[in-house]
Structure formats: C-alpha cells, structure tokens
Amino acid sequence: MKTKTLTPELLHKMDAYWRAANYLSVGQIYLYDNPLLKRPLKLSDVKPLVVGHWGTTPGQNFIYVHLNRVIKKYDLDMFYVAGPGHGGPAIVGNVYLEGTWSEVYPNITQDEAGLKKLFTQFSFPGGISSHVAPTTPGSIHEGGELGYSLSHAFGAAFDNPDLIVACVVGDGEAETGPLATSWQSNKFLDPITDGAVLPILHLNGYKISNPTVLARIEHEELEQFFRGCGWTPYFVEGDEPKKMHELMATTLEKAIKDIRQIQKNARDKKDTTRPRWPMIVLKSPKGWTGPKEVDGLKVEGTFRAHQVPLLVDADHPEHVKQLESWMKSYKAEELFDKNGRLKPELQELVPKGNKRMGSNPHTNGGVLLRDLVMPDFHDHAVKVPSPGAVDGQDTLVLGKFLRDVEKLNQDQRNFRVFGPDETLSNLLGAVFEVTNRQWDAQKVKNDEFLAPAGRVLDSMLSEHQCEGWLEGYLLTGRHGLFNSYEAFIRIVDSMFSQHAKWLKVTLELPWRRKIASLNYLLASHVWQQDHNGFTHQDPGFLDHVINKKADIVRVYLPPDANCLLSVFDHCLRSRHYVNVVVAGKHPLPQWLSMDAAVVHCTEGIGIWQWASNDQGSEPDVVMACCGDTPTLEILAAVSILRQHLPDLKIRVINVVDLMKLQPKTEHPHGLSETDYDSLFTKDKHIIFGFHGYPWLVHRLTYRRTNRNLHVRGYKEEGTITTAFDMRVQNDLDRFHLVQDVVDRVPNLGSQGAYLKQQMQDKLIEHKRYIDKHGQDLPEIRNWKWGQGETQNGKPLAEKSRVPELKLRRISGSKNGKLNGLKRTQ
C-alpha cells in the first residue's frame, strides 16, 4: 500500500511503544531481578524456572498498539480477545503500560520496583499464570484451552451495538473444531442491534513443533476460504517493522471504516442484507524480534520460538549474555525514564479511562449486569388437585414462563435463549410467540421464526458455538440459558470446565464483579430417548459437573412442572454459578401443587408424607428418588408395596437438589449428618431411584453413616424400545424395585416371596407384550397414583392429599401464594 497513514513521528512512537511491550514481555518470561538492566545481567537475575510462550507474543503486542491508535482516533468502544491466550506476557504487559494493571493491583507500581514485581509474578509461585487468565484486567477469555475465542467475541457483541470486539485468532487455534466452525458466526450478527467482531488471524506459521495448516496453503486458497465463509479478508504480511506498522495502520483504517459503513447503512436505511464483515490476516514471523539463532539453530520464524526460545539456567550459563543482548535490542533507556516509568510521549498513545482495553467495562461484566424483570412463575402453575391426578409436560410448561421472561426483558435486551436447534424439540416453542430466531443468512419460503434480530440463537447445529456465544454474553453482563439434549451436552464438557474454573478464580478476585449464572436445561433426557436409542442415552454430564468446586456448581432434578418452574425462577435470579437442571418433555404425572412445590424446592429434599406410611414409627425401608422418571417408578413401586404388604412401613424421600446428598462440610447445600440421618435413618435399607449413573449417588454419600444404600439408575443399557422397557433394562422399573425391597427387608416371609414371584411374572408379561404390540402394557401407560389401590380399606389417592397445615406453618402466604422463601444459594 502506497498511502501514508502514519506520520513519521507517530510511526516512531508506535514502534517505540511496541518495543516497550516486547521488552516487558521478555522480562516477564525471564527476569527475577534487575528489570531495567542497570547493571550487567547475571544468572541470579533470571528465574530458576523459566516458563512462558514467546512465539505469539510480539505479534500480539504489535496488534495491541495499533488497536490503541484507532480507539483514540475514532473514540471506539473496543476490547481485545486473545485467542492465542498462552501469549499472556503480551496482554499483561500492555495492560500494565496503559496503567490499568497498577490501578487494579496497586502494589505493582509504575516504576522500577513495580517492574520487578511485574516480572517476578509471571508464571511464579504465588503470582499469575503464563496465559491470559481471569487475573488479567480486560480479559473475558481464558487462554489455557484453544478454540473458543471467536464464539466468545460474538457472544460479547450480541446486543452491544456500539461495541467492537477485536478477536485475535491463533493459526494453531484455527485448526480446532470449535474455531473452524465459528467463522460462520457472521451469519448471526445483526448490524442494526449488535456490535461488530473484527477477527485478526495471527498467521505466524507454527504450533508447538509443527507448521499450521493455514500458513501452508496458497494465498489465493486462504483468501477464497475466508471469502467463502462470508468475510472480506485484508492481508498484512512481512517482517520489516517500519513497513509493517504502515501496512497495519492502513489496513485497520480500512477495516474500521468498513464496519462503520456497514452499520450506518443498516441502521439508517434499515437494510437487512447480510454484510461481508472485514477481517485481517496478520502474517508475521513467530517469535518476531527475538533471537535469530540459538546454538546454531534458527529460532525466529520457526517452531523453536513457540515457548522459551533461549534456555537460561545453570546448564546454559552462556545464554545469559545472549538474553542480555536480546533485551538491550529494545533500547529500554529510550522507553522508560530513570525511575522505570514509561516516557510521557509514549503514554500519549494510550486511550483514556474506560477506553483503555484493559479497563473496558464489558470485560468485567458484573459491573454492567442488571437484574432480569421476572414474571410470577405461579401464573404458570399446573393445577394438581392431588398427587398424580393429572399429567403434564414439564418443559412445555416452562416454555411459557420463558416466553414471559423474554417479553418482559425485550427493552433491556439482556436475555437470550441458546441451543443447537433443539428449542422446539425440547418444547420451549412458546418463546417464538414473542421473538424469533436470529438469522442473517438467506431465508426461503416455509422458514419459521427466522429474523435478522431475534432473542433465540439456536439455528446453528453446534453445541460449541452455542456454549461459546452464551459464555461471551454472560461474561459481558447479560443473562441466558442453554437448552440441549442431555446426551449431547457432553460435547461441551471441556468448555463447561473452563467456564467453571473462570468463575472459581474470579470469585477470589474482589475487583471482579459477579456475573449471571450459566444455566443449562437438559431435556430429551436418557429416560425419554427410547425412540432414538442408545446413542442418545447419556446422563454423565452430572458426574462431570459435580467434580467442580462446590462454590460454583448446582444440580437440580425437579420431579414435575411446578418444581421446574420454582427451580428455574431461582436459577435465572442467581449469580456466579453453573446451574444444571434436568427436566423431561413427555407427559408424566404431576405430583405437587405450586405451593407445595415451592416449599419442596426451597428445602431441596424432603419426605413426601402423602406417599409415606411411617408416621409415628420408624420406617422399615426408605424409598428415595431423584429425577422425574425415577420418581414415577419409585411411587409406582410404593403403591404396589402398600397394597400387597400393608404392614410395611415406607418412607418416601424426593431429592430436587442433588448436592443435598453431600455432607455440609463438602458443599454449602449439603445436609448435616444429623439432618441426613433423620431423613434416611442410620441403618434402614434405602432403595434409591436415580436419574443418572448409580455410582454418582454413592460418591456423594460415601461418608454417611447409613451404608445400606442401594441405587438403581442408568447402567448403559438401552436401545430403541418403549419408555418403560428402558427402565426395565436398567432395573429402575417398579417391578425390579419391589423385588429389591423384598430382598433387602427382613421378615417379609411368604408374603414377600409371593410378591417377588408376581413381579417376576410381570416382567415376563411386559417383555412378551411389547414384542407383540410395540407399546407398553395398558397398566403401565394408564397408571395413576392410588387409583384402585387401597390400604387399610382406604384408597391411596384419598390418603395422599398434601397437608395444607404443614405448608402454612412452614412458609406463610401472601395473596394465596407462597413467596418470600429464602433458598440456599
């Protein structure tokens, strides 16, 4: 390019600022002392263990100084997402140079003493990690795992019309599945209501020890690839700093003008044509400005520059001089005054106040977070005259509640529903009564619910993108939920882990404000995948989630629609958690009135007195359940036991909050030993029907006194079959559960023996029936709690009405509705 975007003076200053950032980066990786090299460098000035990544760092420093220029010139609202997040020295150094680091961490001062602390803390015990982390002001993106930078950037840009997110993508990162897919996110960005994302592909050629794919294809092929993805790519290529500064400045000017023109055209003319957003490909040497060669081997521009390009330790003392020469090449005396402070003429390049990328409020999303306007979930209550009297579809009911959440927050534009094309399948379609799917690609006749601006993002069949978008949305101060089939949420196991780690670390940083919780709704679950078969049956996300810190994770398995409404109202109001809610979509019995559901969900666990008959005495057996389908089968088993063994004392316990099973010492929701024993007893047999893998309950309760715990759940048996047969194959059905009780409880005599035989006969009858008719037995399909069953001459249904006195005593009421209950956070 022949144009002169930079004056000679400005070019000189920007190059000096870049050298300062590079100097700080090398110092962070290597130095323990002597930060300004005021005396000859010694081995004792070098950290005993040198750790860090140099290769990507100078390129990111180069980008940062150029972004600062356009922020100042155009008064932009912009922040930086570091995809190659292991280049931590670059972002830490730049945030320090702009002054933000010292404001957040006042002990790291803007002088020589502060430089020493800045250098020493990097990748050092008691300090900070070597990648861009939650401790880094200006960051919303954890740099430890690659692949999610661009989806995070788009999530941040949604509903932020004045924001530009500069997203640096590493060429190694670009090979990951999530990142490769996220180039398609431009089909979901509305230039009227959303901000912009400016991807900058940092093409430095190498990963740890291999070349990168995009660096080894022809220029024409690379350009065609990005044009085919809907981008307008601009290329900045070279290694001579002066020419590269001019080229980068001119290219950034063009990109910013393109963004502004796209937005102006869309906003002034209401033009909904999908634009081709600009992007930049920066091709520069890996380890740019670092050692050219080390011990006769080429380093700069090769994979050897990826991490620590120069080993400096007791085994390589001769490298001390080479390190000193490298650092002196940046001419620190021209950059910092004698006290170690960046010279005033270079400080002038830095944007002011919150325009600094390290201080942008969007990167500390809790600062901008506003509460949702919440509807009254009681308005969506299912009327339950008595337990099990009516059937309902839990997520269908929830969908209407979420519709009202969307409607009430449309003006705030701070709530979205995300999912991989499963919103309708999970019966949340009521949201489309008030909004649409956001979709900026072409539309054709017969498309449904597609619009350039919508509150639902579920039109991309990629769990990775939905998770990344939602995380970016939450991290910048908004609210949302991810709805997914239970089995396929496992695709984002690692993304969940990284977000949970982010929440854990930020909880320990007083300057980081709490953000809205990450809410998962897992529907179409393992017990409702009889039609899709074995591949769709996996409840293992629960096992994965509970491995994370107790301060962060919450797991709920509401047994019916009213409990689901109460739980989800709580989750959407919560802060800084990961809430996992498992709910069904098929018709199932509804157990609790709304008032009873609120009490039960507030407690998280409780005895269902209406299903129990041990009042006034110790139970002979405890029948526990967690999850909608296990609840159904446990209660069906209880009805059989109470009819055939009327003297058997049974206590029924339902668990909504899974973490109640852990000791209070392990999780803030956990029951004390006294409370656990009062529910489950110290020695009676517990038959526990669980939604997921049985051993998870054993893990949560292994410290409890009562070791007579027998859990029935999913044990990797499944195929395309009937809903009830799924339970039979996994021993979670009512017939197997009754046999379990007979086998465990002593002194049942001949009554128990005959009942066990009847259950075995029923299992055979069941198998023969489904093989012939393709559906479950009528007595299974039409079963109702207490219907036609008696105990002591009275119908069970009549004995099962929820005692209203207990509800009034526990919570009180207002306008006929229970409220004001404080649930454990």
Side-chain angles (χ1 to χ4, degrees):
M1 292 185 181
K2 300 296 185 182
T3 58
K4 291 293 183 182
T5 302
L6 303 177
T7 66
E9 180 185 10
L10 181 55
L11 190 153
H12 177 75
K13 288 181 179 179
M14 292 180 66
D15 186 68
Y17 195 99
W18 179 44
R19 286 189 282 123
N22 287 337
Y23 182 86
L24 293 191
S25 299
V26 180
Q28 288 178 77
I29 295 173
Y30 284 95
L31 292 193
Y32 179 77
D33 200 359
N34 194 13
L36 291 173
L37 301 182
K38 288 184 175 180
R39 53 177 170 76
L41 192 66
K42 300 184 296 185
L43 184 60
S44 59
D45 295 326
V46 179
K47 295 176 184 178
L49 179 62
V50 177
V51 179
H53 292 77
W54 167 248
T56 181
T57 295
Q60 293 202 61
N61 286 332
F62 182 81
I63 293 167
Y64 207 101
V65 67
H66 280 270
L67 293 176
N68 276 344
R69 185 190 70 83
V70 293
I71 290 171
K72 285 201 70 174
K73 179 175 180 179
Y74 294 105
D75 193 32
L76 300 178
D77 185 8
M78 175 186 280
F79 72 85
Y80 186 113
V81 171
H86 44 275
I91 311 306
V92 172
N94 276 283
V95 172
Y96 175 81
L97 286 175
E98 71 185 23
T100 303
W101 194 280
S102 298
E103 293 171 9
V104 174
Y105 304 104
N107 62 311
I108 310 294
T109 49
Q110 293 281 315
D111 53 23
E112 184 175 0
L115 284 176
K116 181 184 183 305
K117 292 178 181 178
L118 182 79
F119 290 176
T120 302
Q121 71 174 358
F122 181 82
S123 199
F124 198 82
I128 61 174
S129 62
S130 66
H131 51 262
V132 182
T135 52
T136 309
S139 172
I140 67 162
H141 177 76
E142 174 64 65
E145 182 173 277
L146 303 179
Y148 317 130
S149 60
L150 202 49
S151 54
H152 282 163
F154 273 91
F158 292 136
D159 296 321
N160 272 325
D162 298 325
L163 180 66
I164 300 177
V165 185
C167 181
V168 181
V169 178
D171 52 353
E173 178 191 22
E175 297 174 7
T176 64
L179 198 289
T181 305
S182 61
W183 296 114
Q184 307 299 333
S185 295
N186 54 10
K187 283 76 175 177
F188 302 89
L189 195 70
D190 178 27
I192 298 176
T193 60
D194 298 328
V197 175
L198 176 60
I200 303 172
L201 175 64
H202 189 199
L203 203 68
N204 63 26
Y206 293 92
K207 302 184 283 283
I208 297 174
S209 60
N210 269 293
T212 58
V213 173
L214 295 183
R216 296 297 180 92
I217 61 177
E218 297 299 322
H219 184 288
E220 181 185 11
E221 183 180 352
L222 183 64
E223 182 174 0
Q224 287 177 346
F225 170 75
F226 286 116
R227 289 192 181 278
C229 291
W231 297 92
T232 298
Y234 296 113
F235 289 81
V236 178
E237 302 173 291
D239 60 4
E240 201 286 305
K242 183 177 179 181
K243 292 180 180 178
M244 287 290 280
H245 280 302
E246 180 60 43
L247 182 56
M248 184 66 172
T250 303
T251 303
L252 257 180
E253 287 280 331
K254 176 61 175 168
I256 297 301
K257 288 177 180 177
D258 283 359
I259 289 171
R260 289 193 152 190
Q261 183 58 46
I262 288 169
Q263 292 176 336
K264 178 177 174 55
N265 183 64
R267 295 170 188 181
D268 292 351
K269 299 179 181 179
K270 306 301 180 186
D271 185 354
T272 59
T273 305
R274 178 171 64 89
R276 287 184 171 269
W277 296 94
M279 65 167 292
I280 295 172
V281 179
L282 172 63
K283 186 174 183 180
S284 63
K286 197 173 186 77
W288 196 11
T289 75
K292 303 291 185 185
E293 291 187 357
V294 176
D295 297 335
L297 295 175
K298 183 174 172 56
V299 174
E300 184 188 51
T302 76
F303 66 87
R304 296 185 184 93
H306 179 76
Q307 293 178 330
V308 178
L310 182 66
L311 291 176
V312 184
D313 54 27
D315 294 329
H316 303 85
E318 71 279 6
H319 289 169
V320 173
K321 286 296 183 185
Q322 191 170 359
L323 173 60
E324 183 177 41
S325 177
W326 174 17
M327 294 194 71
K328 284 188 173 182
S329 72
Y330 297 119
K331 302 177 181 179
E333 67 278 3
E334 298 179 2
L335 313 173
F336 304 94
D337 64 23
K338 62 180 182 180
N339 296 317
R341 188 176 183 84
L342 187 68
K343 289 191 172 181
E345 61 268 27
L346 300 184
Q347 292 179 24
E348 292 174 1
L349 300 179
V350 176
K352 304 301 180 185
N354 287 344
K355 293 295 183 178
R356 295 172 297 175
M357 289 190 283
S359 295
N360 191 298
H362 294 286
T363 64
N364 192 3
V367 173
L368 304 176
L369 184 63
R370 292 177 294 173
D371 291 341
L372 289 172
V373 181
M374 294 293 289
D376 187 344
F377 64 90
H378 294 81
D379 294 342
H380 299 280
V382 176
K383 293 182 179 179
V384 182
S386 64
V390 297
D391 286 351
Q393 294 172 274
D394 297 355
T395 58
L396 185 67
V397 175
L398 179 66
K400 297 174 182 178
F401 171 70
L402 294 176
R403 172 201 63 200
D404 290 356
V405 176
E406 282 283 14
K407 184 176 181 180
L408 290 173
N409 292 278
Q410 283 183 340
D411 291 340
Q412 292 195 135
R413 298 188 62 81
N414 64 342
F415 176 74
R416 284 181 179 261
V417 175
F418 297 79
D421 190 27
E422 290 162 0
T423 303
L424 282 175
S425 179
N426 287 331
L427 301 190
L428 304 179
V431 296
F432 295 120
E433 296 172 18
V434 296
T435 189
N436 288 293
R437 296 173 164 128
Q438 184 146 322
W439 174 265
D440 290 84
Q442 291 182 355
K443 290 188 292 182
V444 299
K445 187 179 179 180
N446 297 320
D447 284 341
E448 287 188 332
F449 312 127
L450 299 182
R455 312 304 304 154
V456 179
L457 280 160
D458 79 335
S459 297
M460 180 179 274
L461 189 56
S462 169
E463 285 80 2
H464 287 122
Q465 299 316 305
C466 295
E467 173 80 13
W469 289 343
L470 175 54
E471 288 178 3
Y473 199 66
L474 298 175
L475 288 162
T476 49
R478 282 75 64 77
H479 306 258
L481 71 94
F482 186 153
N483 80 97
S484 172
Y485 284 12
E486 181 183 47
F488 302 130
I489 199 65
R490 303 303 309 272
I491 293 169
V492 298
D493 272 8
S494 188
M495 295 185 76
F496 149 76
S497 291
Q498 296 299 325
H499 189 75
K501 290 174 184 289
W502 179 279
L503 294 178
K504 186 263 185 189
V505 175
T506 54
L507 199 60
E508 299 163 0
L509 298 172
W511 62 271
R512 284 278 188 186
R513 302 287 284 275
K514 288 185 177 181
I515 62 172
S517 298
L518 170 56
N519 299 306
Y520 292 102
L521 174 64
L522 308 186
S524 303
H525 61 57
V526 59
W527 302 110
Q528 298 179 345
Q529 285 295 346
D530 42 278
H531 59 294
N532 276 326
F534 198 39
T535 59
H536 285 54
Q537 297 160 3
D538 186 350
F541 190 63
L542 301 185
D543 300 66
H544 180 54
V545 166
I546 69 158
N547 290 323
K548 301 307 171 190
K549 295 295 290 186
D551 290 339
I552 301 302
V553 295
R554 305 288 185 263
V555 179
Y556 302 100
L557 294 100
D560 65 6
N562 287 337
C563 288
L564 177 60
L565 287 169
S566 178
V567 163
F568 232 91
D569 176 80
H570 168 69
C571 291
L572 290 179
R573 296 176 188 271
S574 68
R575 297 287 183 272
H576 227 73
Y577 298 127
V578 176
N579 296 311
V580 180
V581 182
V582 182
K585 65 182 184 181
H586 291 176
L588 285 176
Q590 302 297 300
W591 306 109
L592 302 181
S593 68
M594 180 53 80
D595 285 352
V598 170
V599 173
H600 184 49
C601 293
T602 302
E603 294 172 343
I605 187 172
I607 298 171
W608 278 4
Q609 296 187 29
W610 53 267
S612 307
N613 66 348
D614 68 322
Q615 293 86 346
S617 63
E618 278 290 296
D620 297 311
V621 65
V622 176
M623 303 290 282
C625 46
C626 184
D628 55 7
T629 299
T631 297
L632 168 63
E633 291 304 313
I634 283 287
L635 288 173
V638 167
S639 69
I640 295 172
L641 289 167
R642 289 180 61 176
Q643 183 177 18
H644 292 273
L645 301 173
D647 294 329
L648 184 69
K649 298 301 181 183
I650 303 171
R651 175 176 297 175
V652 177
I653 294 175
N654 183 264
V655 181
V656 177
D657 182 348
L658 183 63
M659 309 318 290
K660 287 288 182 181
L661 298 178
Q662 271 197 310
K664 196 171 186 64
T665 55
E666 298 295 320
H667 195 283
H669 286 201
L671 292 175
S672 68
E673 294 300 327
T674 300
D675 288 344
Y676 184 91
D677 291 344
S678 71
L679 286 174
F680 289 97
T681 77
K682 291 185 177 181
D683 57 358
K684 303 302 181 185
H685 286 283
I686 306 165
I687 309 299
F688 199 123
F690 180 54
H691 173 88
Y693 292 108
W695 38 89
L696 176 54
V697 175
H698 286 289
R699 285 177 58 193
L700 294 173
T701 60
Y702 80 98
R703 290 184 177 180
R704 299 299 191 179
T705 301
N706 192 341
R707 312 305 297 168
N708 295 313
L709 176 64
H710 318 286
V711 186
R712 299 293 173 256
Y714 184 67
K715 56 180 188 178
E716 286 293 317
E717 293 293 340
T719 182
I720 296 176
T721 183
T722 68
F724 184 71
D725 192 54
M726 267 291 298
R727 305 165 210 163
V728 171
Q729 292 188 32
N730 290 277
D731 298 340
L732 183 60
D733 63 284
R734 62 201 67 180
F735 304 136
H736 277 108
L737 292 171
V738 169
Q739 290 180 327
D740 259 354
V741 172
V742 173
D743 288 342
R744 307 290 181 184
V745 178
N747 304 319
L748 293 181
S750 61
Q751 280 184 301
Y754 277 99
L755 179 57
K756 184 176 179 180
Q757 181 63 56
Q758 289 179 46
M759 297 300 98
Q760 193 59 38
D761 294 345
K762 279 294 181 184
L763 287 168
I764 294 172
E765 180 185 354
H766 151 75
K767 183 67 169 65
R768 294 179 64 188
Y769 189 91
I770 65 168
D771 286 350
K772 180 177 181 180
H773 298 284
Q775 62 179 342
D776 288 319
L777 287 161
E779 67 186 79
I780 301 297
R781 289 183 277 120
N782 301 323
W783 179 84
K784 295 284 186 184
W785 168 258
Q787 183 178 358
E789 299 167 5
T790 62
Q791 186 178 45
N792 299 327
K794 293 185 177 181
L796 285 186
E798 179 182 318
K799 295 168 67 68
S800 299
R801 299 197 180 277
V802 179
E804 296 298 330
L805 179 62
K806 179 188 176 187
L807 294 179
R808 288 194 296 270
R809 177 175 59 80
I810 288 178
S811 64
S813 66
K814 180 179 179 182
N815 299 326
K817 297 175 182 176
L818 290 173
N819 51 42
L821 296 175
K822 183 172 178 60
R823 178 179 279 123
T824 303
Q825 296 296 306

